[in-house]
Amino acid sequence: MDRQLNTFQRIYKNPYLQFLIVGVLFALLPTLRAAGMVKAGTVTVIGTTLIYTIAALGLNILLGYSGLISLGTAGFMGLAAYCSAYFTEQLALPFWQSLILALLIPTVLGVIVGLLSMRFVGIYLGIATLAVGEILSEIFRQWDAFTRGTSGARAKYPKIFGMQLDQTGMYYLIVIITIIVFILVYQLLKGRLGRALNAMRGSEAAAMAMGISVYKYRLIAFGAATLLASLAGVLYVHYIRISYPTIWGLPLSLDFLAIIVIGGLRSIYGTLVGSFVIFAMSELVLKQIPYMENYSLVLKGVLIIIFILFYPYGLAHVVSDLRMRLGRRKTKVHPLAAKEEDIDG
Amino acid sequence: MADLMKHEATLLDIKNLSIAFGGLKAVDDLSFSINQGEIYGLIGPNGAGKTTVFNCITQFYKPDQGELRFRNKKGDIVSLTSLPTYRVLEQGIVRTFQNVELIRELSILDNVLIGAHIDYEKTTVLDELFNTGRRRREEKKQIEAARRALQFLGIDHYRLFPAGSQPYGIQKKVELARTLMSDPKLIILDEPAAGLDERETVELADEILRIRKEYDTTILLVEHDMQLVMKICDRISAINFGRLLATGTAAEIRADQKVQEAYLGVDA
Amino acid sequence: MSEFFGIILRSLEYGSIYALASLSIILVFRTSFTTNFAQGMIAMFSTYFVATLIHKSGLPLGVAFVLGLIFALLLGFLIDIIVIRRAAKLSPVGKQIITLGVLSIILGLTPNIFGVYDLNMPKFIPQGDMKIAGTSISYNALLNIGLGLLVMLTLYYVLHRTKAGLAIRTTAENAPVARLMGVSTKLVTMFAWGVAGCLSLLAGMMASPFSQVSTTFMNDIQITAFLACLLGGFTTFFGAVAGSYIIAIASNLLQVYLPQGTVWGKPILYILLIGFLFLKPFGLFGKRYVKKV
């Protein structure tokens, strides 16, 4: 059954090497810009896209692996962004201290929402997280002392290891963090924990019978998802250097959902590809086409529906699907198919 | 009544178990006990409360009354009702489900590995995050164990297929393999032969006997297929309307008048 | 005392709006087992349609409203036929994501079709008020309260006294059995989506004079309606209606009696409701459901 891999295959199939290559490719971008081959704006768009990838990866742990929906991702990302802006600017804390606080505060809140998920099963959770996102939005709009309201909270490029970063330096930091996140998420989910989350989604009864504490793993899933959203928020506010309340609303949370549905549930590369489709495409491609810019929301909606209905494994599985069509692979199961008890409500 | 748990041989003692749903008694004052190394059958007509008994033992339901005592892996006697559902497994009780509860999208191998969840006790989330040597060794050990279980049931060559894409017979075997991963003292099988054809049922009978021998364990099963039950069970309890009708060997059960009435519907 | 009475009276108007919005959610949920996140957008979109007819085509409110009802009905049909029907085999979360896709499409279409400006919506009755027990209330508010009650009574009558209602209730109870009994569940579901669209439009028409017709004016109402459904147990029409009025009263009390209530009343209400639902996840009237394994 196991085909023997030759040396070449063994190298290019090594996941760590793949992550590194992806990282190096992204790191080349500023050099290409210096050579005049890429526009400066493109680098910013790609940097932002990587930031969104990190947050979407968090949602993928939650929805893809654990089957728990959250419409609060943008709210948590925004909370971290505002925290970091507030701590570094108003309280003048060093970047590292601010970072730890800005990751910790939303994550604690995220775990509390995870506690809610103990009681809000299935359909209820989407509604509860929608309300939580709305509460956060309202706080961003109204609490001027913390968020500077509609005039926006400002932040600077950070200083790390005694080095003051500029825009390009911040871009490199984003690439490095993205690749580290990829590697850590990959390691976290490829074994026991990933299986436990999968079991929780696929059959709660089986999970409990196999000694998996659904309670514990839901909290872990929510914690991990919020931590990644917070990390993305901190990177965002120190890269774009301003945060407005309007950014962190439901449409952004929907974008994260679209990313993982289109890119691929339970796939790291899928999340990356999905981010590019949702953010980079509309910024880099759609804006070039007359009228299309105004239809990006429509396009996202159509893509969400088409992918869920007809291509539920997302773009991440194009290659394996092609192989399957050629008769070399095994059949697949719809990842969001109803279980027996769901059919009649 | 003498305390059965004093006998070294007693593994599970069920005493005066009762549970009602909306006033309807699904299990009514039921008592029986299982000895170590037995293959024990629980039979009864449809709706007799067999699966409910299983759900009470494994704490999916909390019984209204009664005691469930179990001699766990460490040899201590524990009261199962005091445990949350997910902590029943670590005592040494593992179960299958009537409607096969597998993670359809995961490979068969991964499904079986889920059965080893608690055996990773030594590795922490941080071990996972940083992929430590301890985690890698543990994972390798478990994969070997899972493949042994799959080989034991003759389905190792399917291990990379998604579980949901396989025929029912294979899925049932995957569930069986999953139970073997936790080094159980008691395996509870909920209608293991349901949906299997005749050849598969014969195979299953053989497998259950082999599991007891190879994995040195005790088996409790609910089954409709009388031939299977009569063939492999050392002792059998027959229940109806949640009440115990009779306990005994296959021959005794077959000869019992109350059991015959329950099955044939003869008025007493 | 008269202030308190005034709050209750005003709450009834908001309660009607929430009740209509939550009824549309429950109607869709019971017949197609979908929690429809796009319901508020359907309301927004059809209200925009009505406002545009009034402002651009100069139609009188009444005519525009009737055309709007037809529009909302067809919109509901369309969404069901094109999208929801195909999603029947998805898990509840999968269906939720589908409705979020619909939400995104409608939200994206709105400025392209109706323009980017907020529109004014006239009240059904432009002016005039009367005094009830020392509190003044506008004729329009009374009409809204009355309309809400009328719609609910009609819905109750249709559900419990007509053949169509029986078909809906059977579908809601058990779709496969309903099909066996010859109920065209497809037709029931389609009409449920259409009628839900109409109820949403009515809610939108009542709510929009308070603000303006914009892409976001239904958002709060949608979330509140969802919470009202949860409070009512998410299964019965009665529960959703009761939940709506309770929330409307609570919301108004918070806004008036809480310091800075107009600013923080809403988030605090949401937090209180989530807290309550955490303690009673099946709401005031919902039943606990035990999964069989």
Side-chain angles (χ1 to χ4, degrees):
Chain A
M1 188 75 199
D2 288 326
R3 274 171 291 143
Q4 286 298 313
L5 304 177
N6 62 38
T7 321
F8 178 65
Q9 281 174 323
R10 215 173 294 153
I11 291 173
Y12 86 74
K13 288 210 164 164
N14 180 317
Y16 297 100
L17 199 67
Q18 289 178 355
F19 289 136
L20 279 179
I21 291 170
V22 171
V24 169
L25 287 180
F26 279 119
L28 283 178
L29 215 60
T31 319
L32 293 179
R33 193 204 58 198
M37 291 162 76
V38 178
K39 278 187 270 180
T42 308
V43 180
T44 311
V45 170
I46 300 220
T48 320
T49 306
L50 291 180
I51 292 172
Y52 286 131
T53 308
I54 294 174
L57 207 50
L59 183 63
N60 215 338
I61 294 177
L62 209 52
L63 180 63
Y65 280 85
S66 325
L68 301 165
I69 196 168
S70 170
L71 296 174
T73 315
F76 288 114
M77 187 174 166
L79 182 60
Y82 278 120
C83 282
S84 199
Y86 183 79
F87 294 140
T88 53
E89 294 299 307
Q90 320 261 91
L91 303 186
L93 292 182
F95 181 67
W96 289 113
Q97 287 180 24
S98 152
L99 176 72
I100 290 168
L101 285 175
L103 294 183
L104 208 61
I105 293 170
T107 305
V108 168
L109 199 64
V111 172
I112 293 174
V113 175
L115 281 174
L116 293 179
S117 81
M118 296 297 128
R119 308 295 298 256
F120 292 95
V121 281
I123 54 159
Y124 290 11
L125 189 60
I127 297 168
T129 53
L130 179 71
V132 170
E134 188 54 33
I135 292 168
L136 288 172
S137 271
E138 197 66 23
I139 289 173
F140 300 157
R141 274 195 295 270
Q142 307 286 3
W143 194 5
D144 281 3
F146 175 54
T147 65
R148 295 286 163 102
T150 45
S151 45
R154 294 182 180 279
K156 295 191 187 74
Y157 293 129
K159 194 174 178 182
I160 53 168
F161 302 125
M163 210 164 54
Q164 175 59 51
L165 296 182
D166 59 1
Q167 196 186 7
T168 310
M170 190 61 202
Y171 175 82
Y172 285 128
L173 182 69
I174 291 167
V175 172
I176 292 168
I177 289 181
T178 308
I179 299 308
I180 292 175
V181 165
F182 280 8
I183 291 172
L184 292 182
V185 168
Y186 169 77
Q187 294 189 158
L188 193 62
L189 296 176
K190 75 168 180 178
R192 173 182 184 242
L193 189 126
R195 285 193 292 268
L197 296 181
N198 268 304
M200 207 163 74
R201 180 197 72 248
S203 165
E204 207 167 286
M208 289 195 294
M210 293 304 135
I212 294 166
S213 163
V214 173
Y215 196 74
K216 177 177 153 192
Y217 282 95
R218 279 198 178 170
L219 293 189
I220 289 179
F222 265 98
T226 335
L227 186 63
L228 289 179
S230 310
L231 182 59
V234 172
L235 289 175
Y236 178 94
V237 82
H238 290 285
Y239 189 50
I240 305 299
R241 291 180 299 157
I242 192 150
S243 164
Y244 296 109
T246 46
I247 302 173
W248 314 111
L250 182 63
L252 183 63
S253 289
L254 290 183
D255 283 346
F256 292 128
L257 201 65
I259 286 175
I260 61 174
V261 165
I262 293 165
L265 293 164
R266 301 192 286 288
S267 159
I268 291 174
Y269 287 117
T271 310
L272 182 64
V273 172
S275 273
F276 270 88
V277 172
I278 291 300
F279 289 108
M281 290 277 260
S282 64
E283 289 290 326
L284 300 178
V285 181
L286 289 185
K287 280 193 177 166
Q288 316 296 323
I289 308 170
Y291 303 112
M292 268 325 279
E293 193 194 343
N294 297 337
Y295 284 93
S296 75
L297 263 175
V298 180
L299 191 68
K300 281 173 201 169
V302 170
L303 285 177
I304 288 178
I305 293 171
I306 288 181
F307 270 85
I308 286 263
L309 288 181
F310 303 111
Y311 205 67
Y313 273 88
L315 293 173
H317 294 257
V318 168
V319 178
S320 70
D321 269 7
L322 284 177
R323 244 184 249 157
M324 196 176 80
R325 297 258 154 97
L326 296 170
R328 308 227 312 254
R329 266 286 175 88
K330 31 236 145 189
T331 36
K332 276 193 174 153
V333 182
H334 195 297
L336 286 170
K339 288 173 229 154
E340 245 169 76
E341 73 267 18
D342 297 331
I343 301 245
D344 305 321
Chain B
M1 195 194 273
D3 190 347
L4 276 167
M5 285 315 275
K6 279 192 183 144
H7 293 284
E8 287 274 317
T10 310
L11 181 66
L12 173 70
D13 182 34
I14 299 170
K15 207 184 272 177
N16 311 113
L17 184 72
S18 294
I19 187 170
F21 297 109
L24 195 75
K25 285 217 162 179
V27 177
D28 189 3
D29 202 26
L30 185 71
S31 303
F32 65 93
S33 69
I34 299 169
N35 295 327
Q36 309 224 22
E38 262 187 318
I39 295 180
Y40 200 103
L42 191 61
I43 62 168
N46 265 332
K50 300 170 305 244
T51 298
T52 309
V53 174
F54 278 15
N55 283 335
C56 287
I57 297 173
T58 50
Q59 297 306 309
F60 275 78
Y61 298 158
K62 292 287 168 194
D64 299 334
Q65 265 164 27
E67 273 185 74
L68 291 162
R69 286 186 304 162
F70 181 70
R71 196 183 302 276
N72 72 5
K73 280 185 182 177
K74 291 187 201 131
D76 300 333
I77 293 162
V78 287
S79 166
L80 295 174
T81 43
S82 64
L83 299 171
T85 318
Y86 77 95
R87 293 199 54 194
V88 170
L89 185 87
E90 67 193 34
Q91 308 303 320
I93 302 179
V94 66
R95 67 173 289 179
T96 64
F97 295 88
Q98 221 173 77
N99 304 315
V100 183
E101 297 274 343
L102 291 177
I103 320 308
R104 297 166 54 81
E105 307 89 357
L106 288 194
S107 72
I108 285 177
L109 181 65
D110 278 335
N111 265 287
V112 176
L113 283 169
I114 287 171
H117 182 83
I118 58 159
D119 275 356
Y120 286 79
E121 216 50 79
K122 281 162 286 169
T123 63
T124 64
V125 172
L126 288 180
D127 279 316
E128 306 249 339
L129 190 61
F130 297 113
N131 199 20
T132 58
R134 181 161 51 176
R135 181 254 183 102
R136 288 200 298 270
R137 279 194 299 280
E138 189 78 1
E139 183 88 3
K140 196 163 164 244
K141 195 180 96 194
Q142 298 297 356
I143 289 175
E144 278 164 14
R147 292 195 56 184
R148 267 200 306 283
L150 287 168
Q151 274 157 6
F152 185 77
L153 296 171
I155 51 172
D156 184 49
H157 49 292
Y158 293 123
R159 71 182 178 281
L160 298 178
F161 288 80
S165 69
Q166 295 301 305
Y168 199 62
I170 304 280
Q171 292 194 17
K172 291 217 118 171
K173 284 193 179 185
V174 176
E175 230 193 4
L176 204 52
R178 187 172 67 187
T179 65
L180 300 178
M181 292 299 289
S182 57
D183 185 25
K185 290 194 79 181
L186 175 65
I187 301 176
I188 299 183
L189 304 175
D190 199 347
E191 302 205 7
L196 301 187
D197 63 28
E198 216 167 306
R199 188 186 53 81
E200 286 171 326
T201 310
V202 173
E203 228 176 87
L204 176 74
D206 174 55
E207 274 159 11
I208 293 175
L209 291 168
R210 275 169 52 222
I211 285 172
R212 165 168 65 173
K213 204 170 141 212
E214 293 271 328
Y215 286 83
D216 188 24
T217 185
T218 309
I219 291 160
L220 167 63
L221 58 95
V222 152
E223 190 44 68
H224 274 296
D225 189 304
M226 278 305 142
Q227 260 184 322
L228 178 75
V229 176
M230 297 296 173
K231 188 172 147 197
I232 63 170
C233 290
D234 302 313
R235 282 197 301 151
I236 297 164
S237 279
I239 63 173
N240 198 17
F241 298 116
R243 297 189 74 102
L244 186 69
L245 296 177
T247 293
T249 62
E252 286 164 356
I253 288 293
R254 215 173 296 157
D256 190 281
Q257 203 188 345
K258 277 197 268 178
V259 176
Q260 286 175 5
E261 281 163 11
Y263 271 92
L264 302 173
V266 182
D267 280 313
Chain C
M1 188 58 212
S2 93
E3 188 193 354
F4 183 76
F5 182 73
I7 293 169
I8 302 290
L9 208 57
R10 272 199 301 283
S11 303
L12 290 182
E13 187 182 7
Y14 266 101
S16 293
I17 298 171
Y18 297 148
L20 290 171
S22 53
L23 275 177
S24 60
I25 290 167
I26 294 289
L27 195 59
V28 163
F29 177 72
R30 291 303 308 254
T31 50
S32 62
F33 317 108
T34 307
T35 6
N36 184 12
F37 283 104
Q39 200 67 52
M41 287 295 149
I42 293 173
M44 180 276 288
F45 197 59
S46 353
T47 313
Y48 244 114
F49 176 78
V50 173
T52 307
L53 286 184
I54 294 169
H55 290 286
K56 301 257 164 74
S57 319
L59 290 181
L61 178 63
V63 179
F65 178 52
V66 172
L67 289 176
L69 284 176
I70 297 168
F71 179 81
L73 190 75
L74 295 179
L75 182 64
F77 287 177
L78 211 63
I79 293 171
D80 180 51
I81 292 168
I82 296 178
V83 183
I84 302 301
R85 239 173 232 187
R86 290 167 219 277
K89 288 216 169 69
L90 289 181
S91 70
V93 170
K95 286 180 186 171
Q96 283 187 334
I97 298 174
I98 290 272
T99 68
L100 289 164
V102 174
L103 183 158
S104 192
I105 292 174
I106 297 178
L107 187 59
L109 282 177
T110 308
N112 287 300
I113 294 177
F114 300 116
V116 293
Y117 299 107
D118 296 355
L119 297 176
N120 281 316
M121 175 64 78
K123 292 177 180 169
F124 286 114
I125 304 170
Q127 55 194 351
D129 48 11
M130 61 184 286
K131 281 211 185 279
I132 300 178
T135 314
S136 79
I137 184 162
S138 70
Y139 288 127
N140 191 59
L142 285 174
L143 177 74
N144 283 345
I145 295 170
L147 264 180
L149 291 175
L150 183 72
V151 169
M152 279 171 246
L153 289 176
T154 314
L155 199 65
Y156 182 86
Y157 177 81
V158 170
L159 279 174
H160 290 270
R161 296 278 181 277
T162 66
K163 232 181 137 183
L166 186 65
I168 292 175
R169 282 185 298 137
T170 330
T171 308
E173 220 48 66
N174 193 329
V177 169
R179 273 193 293 277
L180 284 177
M181 284 160 54
V183 175
S184 168
T185 53
K186 269 189 182 169
L187 209 63
V188 167
T189 305
M190 190 178 91
F191 268 93
W193 276 83
V195 171
C198 295
L199 295 178
S200 298
L201 169 66
L202 189 56
M205 296 285 294
M206 289 180 183
S208 48
F210 285 101
S211 54
Q212 270 190 322
V213 185
S214 69
T215 49
T216 54
F217 89 95
M218 282 300 287
N219 288 6
D220 284 350
I221 295 167
Q222 161 92 354
I223 294 175
T224 309
F226 264 135
L227 292 173
C229 292
L230 286 180
L231 195 61
F234 226 102
T235 42
T236 61
F237 296 99
F238 168 75
V241 170
S244 297
Y245 284 103
I246 292 170
I247 288 182
I249 292 169
S251 164
N252 271 330
L253 288 176
L254 278 177
Q255 293 204 357
V256 173
Y257 291 111
L258 196 77
Q260 285 194 304
T262 46
V263 179
W264 297 111
K266 190 179 78 181
I268 287 172
L269 177 72
Y270 287 172
I271 292 170
L272 287 177
L273 284 170
I274 292 175
F276 177 81
L277 290 167
F278 181 72
L279 299 174
K280 291 203 66 165
F282 299 91
L284 293 169
F285 317 103
K287 284 194 204 90
R288 213 188 133 70
Y289 144 90
V290 183
K291 194 200 164 210
K292 261 189 88 170
V293 287

